[in-house]
Amino acid sequence: MRAMVYRGPYKVRVEEKDVPVVEHPNDAIVRVTLAAICGSDLHLYHGMMPDTRVGMTFGHEFIGVVEDVGSSVVNLKRGDRVMVPFNIFCGTCWFCARGLYSNCHNVNPNATAVGGIYGYSHTCGGYDGGQAEYVRVPFADVGPTVIPEWMDDEDAVMLTDALATGYFGAQLGDIVEGDVVVVFGAGPVGLFAAKSAWLMGAGRVIVIDHLEYRLAKARTFAHAETYNFTEYDDIVVHMKKITDHLGADVAIDAVGAEADGNLTQHVTAAKLKLQGGSPVALNWAIDSVRKGGTISVMGAYGPMFSAVKFGDALNKGLTLRMNQCPVKRQWPRLFEHIRNGYLKPSDIVTHRIPLEHIAEGYHIFSAKLDDCIKPLIVPSGT
Amino acid sequence: MAYTSERPPRAESSDDLRARIPGWGVDLDPKDRPSVPKLRIQEDRTGAHWEFPERQEEKWPRERSTEHKFLTPVFGTSCPPHGISGAMRRFAYRKYSEARAAHWLLLLAADRVDAGEQHLRSLLTTRPDNPITQTGVRSEVFAHGISARIGRKRADVRHHPLDPIIVAAPWVVAAGLVVKTVRSVRRRRR
């Protein structure tokens, strides 16, 4: 089969690989019909995540058709059109039993601090991902769901991570009616978090970024008030000014490990790998939110230490909430929202790239060329 | 404002927002939010029909965190450890827990060694690594690389010049070492 393969920092190519096989009785083999590149894939692509091995296939956002199932699979059959959450989870460990699917304890031998994620380094379990023609899907009875007839493929693939994560991020903000919510980052997760904040009753939604084309999208897609931080000497002071010096009630970090806005932080983290991530957006969130406010962290960070302004968070009495999104827990409600027309996730898709051209896709997304917001990957023969 | 007890006035009422934004407030009640409360017993077990999953066959000694009691019943089988990088990875997993910086720094170092090993190995194949095609840099031409950066008030443009250095540096260093070694050998022979 054809599959994207990591060749070292900033380098990927498409190679011929063996079609995956059933390795556990509850595995399924899925023929991928549509995948996506996630902003967090860029952390792998840039060599930031420890134990990212040359030869791995990335991709944790994908949908497809079931080609084969293991002997104990009862909920799926060959030919089913399925969407697969980015979390790999067993359904019965202490964490899964309580709905923390992203924290499953039975799928990642490499680390206890994170669950299993498709195509996301050995730190997340060493599973190949879906930027390929086929992918092994463990716990086929637990994770995947048959895509409803009425749902578009592009909406379905956005539900496997980006939309669910943005929606989850807004929930972690504990938004109450009329709250001022500031979202750092106008990428896919930030756009969905901003949109979701309205569903939860926000009174004002502000989005901060430095890419004008993404801020324009935040205005039209997410009805948000936007600011480009490069236009202000200090975006935190500006945030105080526009909130009557109170600060926002809720701040959502939808940027994560490669945040810009402070060259030293960015270079030490993203280029020199001396931090788990550049916490510029997180620090701005801490300083922009009001005392007693809530921070929701959706941006991905590596497992190493980062220079976070923890003292400010303490002194302001903030509530810091975060997790990888337990995707499947969000789906029933998100299906309703899509069906009711409140959300149209595929509206943020900007690029549809053949798998054979995935190296260009990564570069375009990474360098933010061609007004790229969300690139989809179309496997050969689809 | 912040200096008095009054909350700053809202720019728009809830009714105005409901009229302007599709779906405004449909999840206002926390009971409608699927991840509230955080810990909630999932009665349907999301389809699982076991107490503890069957174990996947371990086809080679699978590296695992020292913080785990045992090898998890299911695990990924991509890219088994090999070579010097594999030895470094096995050591990092065997010796240090996730709590230790040494664990992660060793794994990061192994990633760089792995890339070097694989690049060298690729030179012995019919398809050696190609930094032009693999970096996707050709998209700079058709995806408007210059106009995407100039006059756009982008903060990341300042560090973009570092990227080619990161990609090329290992090759330049390796080439330098080869030249230095060859010269040193020649001098000794003289």
Side-chain angles (χ1 to χ4, degrees):
Chain A
M1 69 166 182
R2 306 292 285 167
M4 167 273 180
V5 164
Y6 174 68
R7 293 298 304 170
Y10 297 82
K11 293 186 286 293
V12 300
R13 72 182 184 190
V14 176
E15 283 182 8
E16 201 64 35
K17 286 179 95 170
D18 292 338
V19 175
V21 295
V22 169
E23 298 186 57
H24 179 276
N26 211 250
D27 280 357
I29 304 301
V30 168
R31 177 170 56 82
V32 179
T33 53
L34 194 61
I37 306 177
C38 176
S40 61
D41 284 330
L42 298 179
H43 310 329
L44 298 173
Y45 176 67
H46 293 146
M48 293 181 70
M49 287 293 161
D51 211 354
T52 302
R53 301 183 186 178
V54 174
M56 178 170 245
T57 296
F58 298 167
H60 55 269
E61 300 183 357
F62 60 90
I63 62 169
V65 175
V66 176
E67 283 286 307
D68 194 8
V69 292
S71 58
S72 77
V73 175
V74 295
N75 296 333
L76 290 182
K77 61 182 186 309
R78 284 183 193 174
D80 280 345
R81 178 173 160 253
V82 291
M83 50 204 290
V84 183
F86 78 82
N87 327 110
I88 299 168
F89 60 105
C90 74
T92 53
C93 69
W94 194 94
F95 306 97
C96 286
R98 288 156 180 80
L100 300 181
Y101 308 141
S102 51
N103 307 108
C104 178
H105 215 60
N106 275 331
V107 291
N108 181 4
N110 298 75
T112 57
V114 60
I117 301 176
Y118 293 96
Y120 211 79
S121 81
H122 276 64
T123 295
C124 296
Y127 298 89
D128 273 327
Q131 290 166 7
E133 290 181 320
Y134 295 89
V135 61
R136 172 195 170 207
V137 174
F139 293 120
D141 279 336
V142 179
T145 289
V146 174
I147 301 172
E149 285 291 326
W150 52 266
M151 189 179 286
D152 294 342
D153 280 3
E154 292 191 358
D155 286 335
V157 79
M158 303 306 283
L159 276 158
T160 61
D161 180 356
L163 173 59
T165 296
Y167 183 63
F168 177 65
Q171 288 173 73
L172 293 197
D174 283 334
I175 295 165
V176 300
E177 186 169 355
D179 267 357
V180 176
V181 179
V182 58
V183 179
F184 289 92
V189 169
L191 292 170
F192 288 136
K195 188 103 173 167
S196 302
W198 292 123
L199 303 183
M200 291 167 208
R204 188 178 176 192
V205 177
I206 300 163
V207 175
I208 311 286
D209 203 297
H210 65 109
L211 298 167
E212 279 297 337
Y213 73 91
R214 291 189 174 194
L215 291 171
K217 191 71 175 177
R219 290 190 290 273
T220 55
F221 174 80
H223 313 282
E225 178 182 335
T226 65
Y227 298 96
N228 184 331
F229 67 75
T230 65
E231 294 176 359
Y232 301 91
D233 179 49
D234 187 331
I235 192 64
V236 171
V237 173
H238 183 66
M239 279 299 304
K240 294 290 168 62
K241 285 179 180 172
I242 64 172
T243 55
D244 219 358
H245 287 86
L246 185 65
D249 299 293
V250 176
I252 299 173
D253 169 7
V255 182
E258 298 188 57
D260 273 298
N262 179 313
L263 193 62
T264 305
Q265 289 271 30
H266 183 90
V267 169
T268 54
K271 308 300 182 194
L272 301 175
K273 335 293 187 202
L274 298 175
Q275 298 192 69
S278 161
V280 179
L282 179 53
N283 286 340
W284 282 348
I286 288 169
D287 287 328
S288 298
V289 79
R290 66 165 164 76
K291 282 175 265 194
T294 300
I295 308 275
S296 163
V297 185
M298 287 299 104
Y301 290 85
M304 288 241 294
F305 37 77
S306 298
V308 177
K309 297 184 71 181
F310 199 74
D312 279 1
L314 165 72
N315 293 327
K316 293 178 75 172
L318 302 185
T319 300
L320 271 66
R321 301 196 63 195
M322 63 210 82
N323 201 351
Q324 298 278 356
C325 173
V327 171
K328 197 171 179 183
R329 199 166 157 180
Q330 319 306 316
W331 279 353
R333 189 67 174 163
L334 284 173
F335 285 12
E336 286 178 37
H337 290 339
I338 292 172
R339 196 147 203 198
N340 289 330
Y342 303 147
L343 296 169
K344 181 61 180 163
S346 55
D347 279 352
I348 70 159
V349 173
T350 52
H351 291 68
R352 295 157 185 89
I353 297 167
L355 177 63
E356 296 296 326
H357 296 163
I358 198 164
E360 282 75 21
Y362 266 91
H363 185 76
I364 288 169
F365 193 33
S366 168
K368 311 292 182 286
L369 306 183
D370 206 28
D371 290 354
C372 184
I373 295 176
K374 187 67 178 177
L376 300 185
I377 300 299
V378 185
S380 333
T382 301
Chain B
M1 64 185 284
Y3 303 95
T4 63
S5 64
E6 293 296 313
R7 188 176 168 82
R10 286 175 58 177
E12 282 183 277
S13 70
S14 294
D15 286 340
D16 289 346
L17 288 168
R18 193 173 282 114
R20 182 167 74 86
I21 296 170
W24 184 90
V26 293
D27 288 333
L28 197 51
D29 186 344
K31 286 178 189 159
D32 290 326
R33 302 177 187 178
S35 276
V36 178
K38 177 164 77 171
L39 301 179
R40 187 158 64 183
I41 293 293
Q42 306 294 308
E43 302 294 347
D44 66 353
R45 296 175 149 213
T46 62
H49 41 84
W50 47 78
E51 283 303 316
F52 181 79
E54 285 184 66
R55 286 190 171 277
Q56 179 181 333
E57 186 185 351
E58 185 181 6
K59 292 181 178 169
W60 63 84
R62 184 64 164 77
E63 62 282 6
R64 66 177 169 89
S65 167
T66 57
E67 295 179 42
H68 264 305
K69 183 177 181 180
F70 45 62
L71 181 66
T72 55
V74 167
F75 48 87
T77 52
S78 174
C79 306
H82 57 83
I84 298 169
S85 60
M88 292 170 72
R89 284 168 173 146
R90 284 194 207 96
F91 179 75
Y93 281 106
R94 190 173 62 242
K95 180 77 177 171
Y96 299 109
S97 78
E98 297 159 61
R100 305 281 291 275
H103 175 81
W104 302 112
L105 290 168
L106 264 170
L107 289 175
L108 278 170
D111 290 348
R112 301 294 92 84
V113 172
D114 186 15
E117 287 176 324
Q118 294 292 336
H119 290 325
L120 290 174
R121 189 171 296 174
S122 81
L123 298 177
L124 304 175
T125 69
T126 55
R127 197 184 176 197
D129 280 323
N130 180 335
I132 303 296
T133 57
Q134 291 176 6
T135 54
V137 73
R138 291 181 299 189
S139 60
E140 289 283 336
V141 178
F142 64 79
H144 321 296
I146 294 173
S147 61
R149 292 183 176 89
I150 293 177
R152 294 283 197 111
K153 295 183 269 189
R154 291 176 53 166
D156 54 344
V157 171
R158 287 190 298 168
H159 56 72
H160 279 184
L162 292 174
D163 294 345
I165 295 172
I166 291 169
V167 173
W171 294 98
V172 172
V173 170
L177 286 172
V178 168
V179 169
K180 198 174 175 184
T181 306
V182 169
R183 280 182 179 168
S184 167
V185 169
R186 278 184 181 170
R187 270 191 217 121
R188 280 182 198 165
R189 284 184 178 171
R190 282 174 197 162

